[in-house]
Amino acid sequence: MVRHRGDIWSSIAVLRLSIDTSVVGVCGKVLKYLQTSSRCFSGTACVKKINMEKEETEESPRSLLGEMEEQVKEEQAGGSSSSTEPARGEEVVKKRGSSTQDSRRSSSSRSSRKSFRLDHRLEEDVTKSKRDKHGRFVNPWPTWNAPTLYNVLKWQFTEKDHSKVPSSKEVLDRELPVQEPYFIQNPQLAGKTGAGMRATWLGHATVLVEMDDLTFLTDPVFSQRASPLHFMGPKRFRGPPCSVAQLPKIDAVVISHTHYDHLDSGSVASLNERFGSELRWFVPQGLMDWMQKCGCENVIELDWWEENCVPGHDEVTFVLTPAQHWCKRTPTDDNRVLWGSWSVLGPGNRFFFAGDTGYCSAFEQIGKRFGPFDLAAIPIGAYEPRWFMKAQHVDPEEAVRIHIDVQAKCSLGIHWGTFALAYEFYLDPPVKLKEAMDRYGLNQDKFFVLKHGESKDLNVEEDAFE
């Protein structure tokens, strides 16, 4: 029987299983406006889009780049507000009504911005998100080739699968051990990183990151299958090292795109049930309705280069940055939702999450604007055959190029060793990664892999554990 793959599950399901799931409907409840004293909207209302406004102007939204330029100029001229931080100005919340698509605005209270200071690198042009005439998002780079139905069938029926994942648990335990994360036996250590940061790989693209007094997850998937069905579809050959119930307190979650191996409804529901409205979700544009249907209330939906923060942690900024990929969960929702990477920028540490991506020029732009990053999480698996996967999944050598482009001091290899989504040998990604680092003349310790459940401390001082 042909093995089904995560990223193109819906396309194959249409042909072979006749699965037809309905598009998520618009939430019918009117959300309450909540006044806050923070730019992060500490209430539980869903936020569709954040437009930052100039303090002197009530209805003139501007881009993040222009705003930060003016902020730097104001600081240099001594024109900041009476607080010790430059004035952020009023924020505008766009909110859905119950029976109309019209958005209504409500200004929040004045707030200050305590985040990182950006420099004039931001004056350079950036690649903005684009849509086609049908309103679907598109990749704006010449390196993109959309996966066609013909190529999907050609890949599935003519290419040889070299993944060779063993069925023996004993062999898998030896080759890809799953260890218990540190926070299960020592929960008191969670979040204590001092001036440094810590990353724990929980399998595939799920990473728990602790930095600058904030703990967040990337693309959380704790289910056994990356599929709309519980009984078929890509199944984990390495289970999650912990459950949602065993996680430490999570402040935020970032989602890169909608494919089932990155956006899992069961995991979203479990996280929402445990943490409720205190958990902030950062998602790409177009995903708000789906998140609302899952019951999530504290949601920030962003376009490329837009930014926001977690209530009470406005010194750490989350920016949705570009990636070269695509979105699909049903037979008809192709690219209705944007995809992207995430740049998390704090006063002491910077983290980059590449999500799922092919190689493109966007990463050099990200590095120029936000680099250097203390740590980047970059995919290294699901890349064979190259003629089919190249545009949507980087191979280890291209992962090293991203590492260089974003100016990462260290990088963690993700998106491998969990689901068999492509045809390379299941243990090849870290081997090919080492070979690529050698070719580029780079220290192999600067781009590493972890065991499932293993953590890596970066610049964490000993007194952080006292």
Side-chain angles (χ1 to χ4, degrees):
M1 181 177 179
V2 177
R3 187 193 303 274
H4 298 281
R5 305 296 175 183
D7 276 359
I8 58 161
W9 168 257
S10 298
S11 299
I12 300 172
V14 172
L15 290 172
R16 300 181 57 82
L17 302 176
S18 299
I19 297 172
D20 185 5
T21 54
S22 61
V23 179
V24 175
V26 176
C27 181
K29 296 183 179 180
V30 178
L31 305 176
K32 297 179 180 179
Y33 284 107
L34 296 178
Q35 296 294 332
T36 71
S37 59
S38 167
R39 74 181 180 92
C40 302
F41 303 103
S42 59
T44 59
C46 289
V47 179
K48 181 180 180 185
K49 183 178 180 182
I50 309 301
N51 287 325
M52 303 307 180
E53 296 189 345
K54 190 176 180 180
E55 182 175 6
E56 297 80 10
T57 306
E58 291 186 358
E59 299 260 355
S60 59
R62 64 191 178 186
S63 69
L64 168 63
L65 307 184
E67 179 193 5
M68 296 308 297
E69 292 172 27
E70 292 184 18
Q71 177 179 311
V72 172
K73 292 178 182 177
E74 288 174 4
E75 289 181 338
Q76 292 172 343
S80 60
S81 64
S82 58
S83 67
T84 58
E85 302 297 337
R88 181 59 174 171
E90 295 184 352
E91 297 177 318
V92 175
V93 183
K94 286 191 176 180
K95 183 181 69 171
R96 295 178 189 263
S98 59
S99 60
T100 177
Q101 294 297 323
D102 294 336
S103 298
R104 294 180 296 178
R105 289 185 175 183
S106 174
S107 295
S108 71
S109 59
R110 301 280 179 179
S111 62
S112 64
R113 177 174 178 82
K114 298 184 294 183
S115 185
F116 59 93
R117 174 180 294 200
L118 299 178
D119 55 34
H120 292 286
R121 294 178 293 176
L122 293 175
E123 295 178 357
E124 301 177 27
D125 292 335
V126 293
T127 301
K128 303 294 184 61
S129 65
K130 296 181 180 180
R131 298 177 188 254
D132 63 16
K133 62 181 180 180
H134 304 293
R136 300 177 187 269
F137 290 101
V138 297
N139 284 291
W141 303 282
T143 47
W144 172 249
N145 288 305
T148 64
L149 182 59
Y150 171 79
N151 284 340
V152 169
L153 295 175
K154 178 182 176 182
W155 167 51
Q156 287 285 299
F157 290 103
T158 67
E159 289 286 342
K160 184 177 180 180
D161 186 354
H162 299 282
S163 59
K164 298 180 180 178
V165 178
S167 58
S168 169
K169 184 179 183 300
E170 181 180 356
V171 174
L172 285 171
D173 286 343
R174 183 178 66 250
E175 299 294 343
L176 289 174
V178 178
Q179 69 182 47
E180 186 178 78
Y182 81 91
F183 50 76
I184 293 180
Q185 294 297 325
N186 298 286
Q188 75 279 3
L189 299 182
K192 295 183 178 181
T193 58
M197 67 184 303
R198 180 186 301 118
T200 304
W201 187 45
L202 301 180
H204 202 52
T206 306
V207 183
L208 185 141
V209 182
E210 303 162 75
M211 55 174 268
D212 295 301
D213 298 319
L214 199 67
T215 302
F216 60 93
L217 285 170
T218 66
D219 288 355
V221 176
F222 294 88
S223 297
Q224 289 299 318
R225 292 188 185 272
S227 167
L229 304 176
H230 297 295
F231 57 89
M232 66 186 338
K235 186 177 181 180
R236 302 178 81 114
F237 56 86
R238 292 280 75 188
C242 70
S243 65
V244 170
Q246 294 173 312
L247 291 170
K249 183 181 182 299
I250 306 298
D251 299 297
V253 173
V254 296
I255 301 295
S256 65
H257 65 295
T258 66
H259 288 150
Y260 286 95
D261 59 318
H262 292 258
L263 180 61
D264 173 57
S265 59
S267 299
V268 170
S270 296
L271 286 164
N272 187 55
E273 181 180 359
R274 180 176 173 194
F275 298 106
S277 60
E278 293 184 357
L279 177 61
R280 170 145 291 189
W281 298 84
F282 294 101
V283 303
Q285 196 171 40
L287 194 52
M288 175 66 73
D289 286 342
W290 191 92
M291 298 300 296
Q292 288 179 332
K293 186 175 178 65
C294 288
C296 300
E297 296 178 322
N298 190 354
V299 182
I300 299 293
E301 184 182 73
L302 299 174
D303 198 351
W304 287 350
W305 307 107
E306 287 186 334
E307 54 99 27
N308 204 266
C309 70
V310 174
H313 298 272
D314 57 340
E315 70 280 3
V316 180
T317 302
F318 289 75
V319 187
L320 179 64
T321 39
Q324 180 174 287
H325 205 58
W326 57 295
C327 281
K328 186 178 179 67
R329 286 181 75 85
T330 76
T332 60
D333 71 344
D334 304 54
N335 297 337
R336 292 295 186 185
V337 175
L338 186 60
W339 49 90
S341 57
W342 287 95
S343 298
V344 185
L345 315 168
N349 300 277
R350 296 192 174 198
F351 172 75
F352 176 70
F353 173 56
D356 215 353
T357 186
Y359 182 78
C360 65
S361 60
F363 301 107
E364 189 174 359
Q365 292 182 358
I366 294 168
K368 286 180 178 179
R369 282 150 188 79
F370 300 136
F373 290 92
D374 297 279
L375 179 65
I378 304 174
I380 62 170
Y383 54 84
E384 289 288 355
R386 292 311 290 149
W387 67 264
F388 180 68
M389 291 293 183
K390 185 177 179 61
Q392 54 191 313
H393 287 165
V394 294
D395 62 13
E397 180 155 348
E398 291 167 327
V400 173
R401 292 174 66 185
I402 293 177
H403 166 83
I404 296 170
D405 286 353
V406 301
Q407 302 176 35
K409 297 176 183 178
C410 291
S411 290
L412 165 64
I414 61 170
H415 203 265
W416 75 283
T418 309
F419 296 100
L421 301 176
Y423 285 174
E424 74 271 7
F425 181 55
Y426 81 109
L427 294 177
D428 265 357
V431 175
K432 300 298 183 183
L433 175 63
K434 290 181 180 179
E435 294 174 356
M437 291 291 283
D438 284 341
R439 283 194 294 272
Y440 279 91
L442 300 176
N443 186 338
Q444 293 185 3
D445 293 338
K446 298 301 182 181
F447 200 148
F448 55 87
V449 295
L450 296 173
K451 300 174 183 177
H452 292 75
E454 186 180 7
S455 300
K456 178 75 171 181
D457 291 337
L458 300 174
N459 302 317
V460 176
E461 301 173 357
E462 291 294 331
D463 57 4
F465 298 98
E466 295 179 356

